Amino acid sequence: MISWNEITSRAENEGRTYLMEHECKELLEKQGISTTGASAARSSAEAVEISNRIGYPVVLKVLSPEVIHKSDAGGVKLNLKNAAEVERAFNEIETAFADKKLAGVAVQKMASPGLEAIIGVSRDPTFGPVLMFGLGGVFVEVLKDVSFRILPVTEADIDALIREIRGYTLLRGYRGTSVDLPALKELLLKISEMVMRYPEIREVDLNPVFLYTDGNVIVDARIFLEKPDAAAPRLSPERESTNLRGLFYPESLAVVGASDTPGKLGWNVFDNLLRHRFTGKLYPVNINAKTVQGVPAVASVREIDGPVDAAVILVPAAHTLKAFEECCQKGIKFIVIESAGFAETGEDGKNIEKELRRLAETYHCRFVGPNCSGIINTHHQMVQSIGTVGELRQGNIGLIAQAGVYAAGMLWGLRHTMDFAIVATIGNKADINETDILEYLGEDDFVEVVCMYLEDVKSGRRFIDVARDVAAKKPVIVLKSGRTEAGKKAVSSHTASLAGDDQIYDAAFRQAGIIRAADNEHMFGLARAFSKQPLPSGDGVLVVSYTGSWGVAAADALSLSGMKPAELDDETYRRLKEILPPYVGCHNPVDCTFDLNPVQLREIIEVGLQSGNISSFIVILQAEILQSYVEELKKIDYQGKPILSCVPCKEFAISEVIALEQAGFPVYSTPEEAVAALSAMYRYAMGNC
Ligand code: ADP
Ligand code: MG
C-alpha cells in the first residue's frame, strides 16, 4: 500500500494542493475507514478488467488533477452493470474531458443506497482544525443543517456533534430505518485522529458518506493540503500560564502617572484606589509632584523602598516603554497598562506592544492591556478604573471585559443590582488574555459566576480546555460580539464554506460548556440569577401571578425552554385550596388576580416548598406595591429552591427593584426573560448548556 509521504509528494510534484479521489480513499482505508475503493484505469480494457475483478455494478469517475467537482461535467457514471456499459462509460468520460489532463478513470464498487451524510474538516484561524457533520442533500445544501466541534474531540464531543443536528431523528430511526450510530461515532473519531496525525491536511470533504443500519461507507472524498508551517503562524503564540493571584491581590501597588489634577485619568485611578480603601500599600509615581492626593509621591518606581507587587501605568503611550522597563527592573511581577495609543492606532503602536512583550519575557513578568481600564477586586478593595466608580458591594461575579470603557461605564449602574468580586478589563491583550484571566477566576474562591464580554478569542484551543475546566466548577456566561462574517478566509472545500466564524465560536462554546448570552441584557439577566439563587434540581416550576395572561406567558416560555409548570400533587392541591380565596382557581400558574399580596404569596410559596414536583418559583409581582414584598420574601426558608421574580414595568419602580435585587431576588421585566434565566440554570445544573 502506498504511504502518506508518497501520496503527498506525488501531489507536490504535480503542483497539486489536493488529493484525487483514489488517493484519498487509499489514505482513508489505511485508517481503517471503509470506502467504495477506487482503482485508476488507463484504458477501457483495464476498466473492464478491474470491474470484472471487483464485481458489478460499478461506478466510473473522471480522475484529473484539473477536475474537482466530477459530476458537474458528466464525470461520474453510476450503476454500470456489465463490460459493455463500462467500456461505453470509459469512452464517454475520455471524450468529455479531452481538454483536461487525465490521470485515468477511477473504477469503484457501486455502493448500495444509504442515508447520505457529509463529514468534513476545515481550519479555523482562531481554533485550528474543526470537524463538521451533517446529513447530505437538502439538509446540507438548503437547510445548512450541520454541526461543528473543534479538534481534537472526545467521545462526548462526538455524541453532542451528532445530536445537535436537526435531522438527528432521522439517524435515530424513522419509519423503520435507523443508522448504526456506534459505527458513525467511530468513523468521526478516526477522521479526527487522522487530521491530528497529519497536520498537512488543511480541509477534508467526505461527501457523500452512506450510513447504513450496519456500518457506513465513504462514497466520495476530497482532501486539501497545506504545508503545516504555513498554517502554524495563524495561531497566536502564547506564554505559559502563570498563577495570576498577585495581579488580583497585590500587597503593594505603584501607580505610575498618578495625578494630583482632578479630571485627569491618573487622578481618577488614584482617587478610586484611595476612596475604596485599597487593602495594601499604595505608591503614587509622578515626575512632577511631591504628593498626589495627599500621599507622598516618587519620581520613579525605582525610588520606592521595599518590594512592589504590582503596578498600574497611566503615562502617555510614548513614555510607556520607559515606565514599563523601570517597573521590570524594580522586580514588579504584574503590570497593568491602562494607557491607550498602541496596536489600536497602527504599526508604531503594534511595535511598542512587541517591545513590551519582549521586556516582559526577559524580566519574567506579566502585563494586562494596554488600552484597558484595569482591575477591580472588591474583596481586596482595589479599584483601578479610569472612570470614577461609586461604592461597590462585595460579591461573587467575575467579569472579564475586553473593552475598558464597556465595563467601567456600566459599573455606574450595574453595581446596584449586581455584586462583583472581580472585574478585569483586558484591552489589547498584548500579553495576558481572556483565557489567562478565566483560568484565574476559576481558582478564585470569591468568584462563583463568570461573565465574559469578548470580541475575539486569542488563545484558540487553550480557551476551550480552560473554559471547560472552569465551567465544570462555576457557570461561565459569554457574550461574543462581532457575530457577522468579517474577513473571509480562502476556502476550498464545501465544509469550509459552511464553517462561518459564528458557528465555530458557537461550537467552541458548547464544547466548553459555556452559556452563550444573546446580548448584554441577557448576559446580565443570567448573571443576576446565577449569582443570587441556587440551581434548580428539577424541571417543575410553580408560577404565581397577579395577572392571568403573564402567568400563561410564563407557562408557555417554560414549555418552550425544556421546563414546565409543575403538576400539583394531591397534597399540594389540598393545602393550596385551604389558603387561596374562593375566586382563585387552584392550578399552576396560580392567578391570584390584583389581590395578590405579600403574606398570601409567602404562604403559597411555603406550600410549594413542600412538594417534590416543585423545584423552583417564578413570581409575577405588581410594581406599584413592590416594596411590600421585600421583607416578606426574605422571611422564607427556600430550602435550596430558586425563586425569580418578574415585575411588569419594573423600570418605573427602580428603587424598589434595587431593594428586591439587593435582598437576593433577581427581577425581570417579562416572564420570558425570567424563564430564559431559570432554564439556563436548569440546563447548567443538568450539565447541558
Ligand atoms: P462529485 O465530485 O461531483 O462530488 P461524487 O463522487 O460525489 O462526485 O459523485 C456524485 C454522486 O454520485 C454522489 O453524490 C453519489 O450519490 C453518487 N455516487 C458516486 N459514487 C458512488 C458509488 N461508488 N456508489 C454509489 N453512488 C455513488
Ligand atoms: Mg461528492
Side-chain angles (χ1 to χ4, degrees):
M1 228 186 209
I2 189 162
S3 73
W4 167 254
N5 283 343
E6 282 169 283
I7 293 181
T8 50
S9 45
R10 187 163 69 199
E12 198 176 339
N13 291 339
E14 290 176 15
R16 273 185 288 135
T17 52
Y18 71 96
L19 303 181
M20 283 185 284
E21 186 191 351
H22 64 306
E23 296 167 330
C24 299
K25 285 184 173 168
E26 256 193 272
L27 189 66
L28 292 164
E29 292 276 352
K30 276 167 75 79
Q31 320 300 318
I33 293 169
S34 105
T35 76
T36 53
S39 309
R42 286 267 166 201
S43 65
S44 60
E46 203 182 340
V48 169
E49 187 209 313
I50 298 170
S51 306
N52 287 339
R53 186 161 25 99
I54 61 176
Y56 295 91
V58 298
V59 173
L60 261 55
K61 295 184 194 175
V62 59
L63 270 188
S64 163
E66 292 169 21
V67 179
I68 294 188
H69 299 284
K70 303 174 289 290
S71 55
D72 286 356
V76 176
K77 306 285 181 192
L78 300 171
N79 204 19
L80 309 170
K81 291 192 264 323
N82 51 48
E85 287 185 11
V86 168
E87 203 168 318
R88 186 169 346 113
F90 186 97
N91 293 334
E92 281 172 9
I93 291 179
E94 230 178 18
T95 317
F97 294 90
D99 59 335
K100 299 270 190 266
K101 200 165 125 197
L102 272 197
V105 169
V107 184
Q108 58 192 252
K109 280 197 85 67
M110 172 85 187
S112 47
L115 184 63
E116 282 194 30
I118 171 168
I119 295 173
V121 175
S122 62
R123 297 237 169 215
D124 180 78
T126 303
F127 295 105
V130 180
L131 179 65
M132 182 190 85
F133 170 70
L135 293 181
V138 289
F139 290 100
V140 56
E141 301 299 340
V142 184
L143 302 175
K144 309 230 178 308
D145 182 16
V146 289
S147 54
F148 298 90
R149 282 296 177 275
I150 316 297
L151 294 183
V153 283
T154 62
E155 277 184 43
D157 292 332
I158 295 280
D159 253 342
L161 176 81
I162 296 174
R163 277 167 203 275
E164 228 165 72
I165 60 165
R166 280 170 281 156
Y168 176 59
T169 24
L170 286 177
L171 293 173
R172 247 189 1 197
Y174 165 72
R175 292 199 183 157
T177 59
S178 69
V179 151
D180 186 344
L181 284 175
L184 172 60
K185 287 177 195 168
E186 197 187 317
L187 168 62
L188 288 161
L189 274 177
K190 281 183 177 159
I191 301 292
S192 157
E193 281 160 17
M194 176 180 83
V195 173
M196 295 313 289
R197 185 166 332 127
Y198 302 119
E200 304 89 325
I201 298 180
R202 191 189 69 190
E203 288 165 32
V204 178
D205 262 342
L206 307 178
N207 183 22
V209 179
F210 286 179
L211 307 178
Y212 301 121
T213 323
D214 188 9
N216 50 53
V217 66
I218 312 288
V219 172
D220 182 26
R222 269 192 270 284
I223 292 176
F224 297 87
L225 305 172
E226 181 173 62
K227 284 241 180 305
D229 47 335
R234 291 189 195 167
L235 303 173
S236 56
E238 266 196 295
R239 296 181 62 191
E240 259 177 46
S241 81
T242 316
N243 183 347
L244 297 184
R245 192 176 163 81
L247 172 68
F248 296 97
Y249 294 88
E251 278 171 23
S252 46
L253 180 68
V255 182
V256 185
S259 169
D260 210 25
T261 315
K264 288 202 157 193
L265 297 185
W267 195 90
N268 288 355
V269 173
F270 205 70
D271 172 59
N272 274 328
L273 285 161
L274 287 180
R275 241 178 338 95
H276 290 267
R277 295 179 303 281
F278 173 64
T279 314
K281 281 187 196 143
L282 264 185
Y283 299 106
V285 180
N286 184 319
I287 27 171
N288 301 315
K290 286 270 168 293
T291 61
V292 170
Q293 299 176 36
V295 182
V298 288
S300 158
V301 283
R302 285 180 304 189
E303 291 169 26
I304 299 172
D305 261 346
V308 179
D309 293 339
V312 174
I313 294 182
L314 287 149
V315 298
H319 305 295
T320 301
L321 262 180
K322 181 169 174 283
F324 187 84
E325 189 157 16
E326 286 177 6
C327 289
C328 293
Q329 287 160 348
K330 173 74 187 160
I332 298 176
K333 289 294 167 226
F334 297 103
I335 302 169
V336 178
I337 308 175
E338 301 195 18
S339 326
F342 296 85
E344 76 279 13
T345 60
E347 275 311 306
D348 289 352
K350 273 193 194 136
N351 288 334
I352 306 180
E353 282 187 15
K354 268 193 207 136
E355 188 54 21
L356 289 168
R357 214 176 134 108
R358 192 192 60 76
L359 284 173
E361 271 164 28
T362 312
Y363 286 94
H364 304 290
C365 66
R366 303 291 312 251
F367 69 99
V368 178
N371 189 23
C372 73
S373 184
I375 308 280
I376 293 175
N377 180 356
T378 59
H379 297 278
H380 201 53
Q381 273 117 273
M382 180 173 75
V383 176
Q384 301 173 347
S385 303
I386 47 175
T388 310
V389 177
E391 201 184 321
L392 293 173
R393 289 146 45 98
Q394 293 184 324
N396 59 357
I397 300 175
L399 171 68
I400 304 173
Q402 190 147 352
V405 178
Y406 170 87
M410 283 185 318
L411 271 182
W412 175 84
L414 289 182
R415 68 195 172 97
H416 296 293
T417 59
M418 289 172 75
D419 297 336
F420 294 93
I422 285 174
V423 179
T425 63
I426 47 182
N428 293 4
K429 308 193 274 196
D431 177 24
I432 291 178
N433 64 30
E434 67 289 327
T435 308
D436 301 311
I437 306 262
L438 176 62
E439 190 171 43
Y440 175 72
L441 295 189
E443 296 299 317
D444 190 278
D445 288 338
F446 291 110
V447 174
E448 290 173 343
V449 180
V450 179
C451 288
M452 303 179 86
Y453 169 79
L454 296 176
E455 278 148 30
D456 61 5
V457 164
K458 275 230 162 151
S459 47
R461 175 74 212 190
R462 188 177 149 246
F463 172 79
I464 299 177
D465 295 336
V466 167
R468 181 149 36 193
D469 284 351
V470 178
K473 290 189 278 190
K474 36 189 110 170
V476 178
I477 306 162
V478 173
L479 173 60
K480 159 82 176 60
S481 64
R483 281 184 155 217
T484 45
E485 213 59 0
K488 193 89 190 133
K489 41 220 155 181
V491 158
S492 326
S493 63
H494 197 169
T495 301
S497 71
L498 288 163
D501 282 354
D502 199 58
Q503 272 106 318
I504 302 304
Y505 269 106
D506 216 56
F509 293 162
R510 283 168 196 259
Q511 205 163 344
I514 281 173
I515 301 160
R516 184 167 191 183
D519 52 41
N520 283 290
E521 193 63 31
H522 186 207
M523 176 161 79
F524 299 132
L526 291 171
R528 286 186 288 115
F530 275 103
S531 65
K532 293 178 188 186
Q533 289 290 320
L535 298 175
S537 58
D539 59 356
V541 184
L542 183 68
V543 179
V544 186
S545 178
Y546 76 93
T547 135
S549 41
W550 283 55
V552 174
D556 279 352
L558 284 170
S559 309
L560 288 171
S561 63
M563 300 187 86
K564 60 181 186 205
E567 249 174 62
L568 302 182
D569 53 73
D570 293 347
E571 178 63 7
T572 310
Y573 182 87
R574 192 185 59 71
R575 294 188 56 203
L576 275 181
K577 196 111 190 117
E578 271 172 25
I579 58 169
L580 290 174
Y583 55 86
V584 171
C586 190
H587 19 248
N588 184 11
V590 188
D591 172 14
C592 295
T593 78
F594 243 124
D595 292 344
L596 179 67
N597 64 70
V599 173
Q600 186 188 38
L601 178 65
R602 176 172 56 73
E603 287 173 357
I604 296 171
I605 291 172
E606 281 168 350
V607 169
L609 282 167
Q610 304 309 312
S611 167
N613 288 353
I614 297 169
S615 299
S616 52
F617 299 88
I618 289 184
V619 294
I620 300 167
L621 310 175
Q622 311 94 310
E624 53 276 39
I625 57 164
L626 197 55
Q627 188 64 46
S628 63
Y629 284 101
V630 179
E631 287 311 311
E632 208 60 34
L633 283 175
K634 274 164 67 175
K635 286 184 192 158
I636 303 170
D637 170 9
Y638 291 90
Q639 302 162 35
K641 296 187 180 182
I643 173 168
L644 276 61
S645 74
C646 168
V647 178
C649 303
K650 75 170 178 131
E651 54 277 37
F652 303 103
I654 202 64
S655 51
E656 292 81 0
V657 167
I658 291 173
L660 202 55
E661 287 273 1
Q662 294 193 351
F665 305 100
V667 187
Y668 299 89
S669 301
T670 64
E672 292 81 2
E673 283 173 30
V675 169
L678 185 63
S679 61
M681 292 169 90
Y682 175 61
R683 283 193 298 276
Y684 179 77
M686 297 296 118
N688 167 26
C689 287

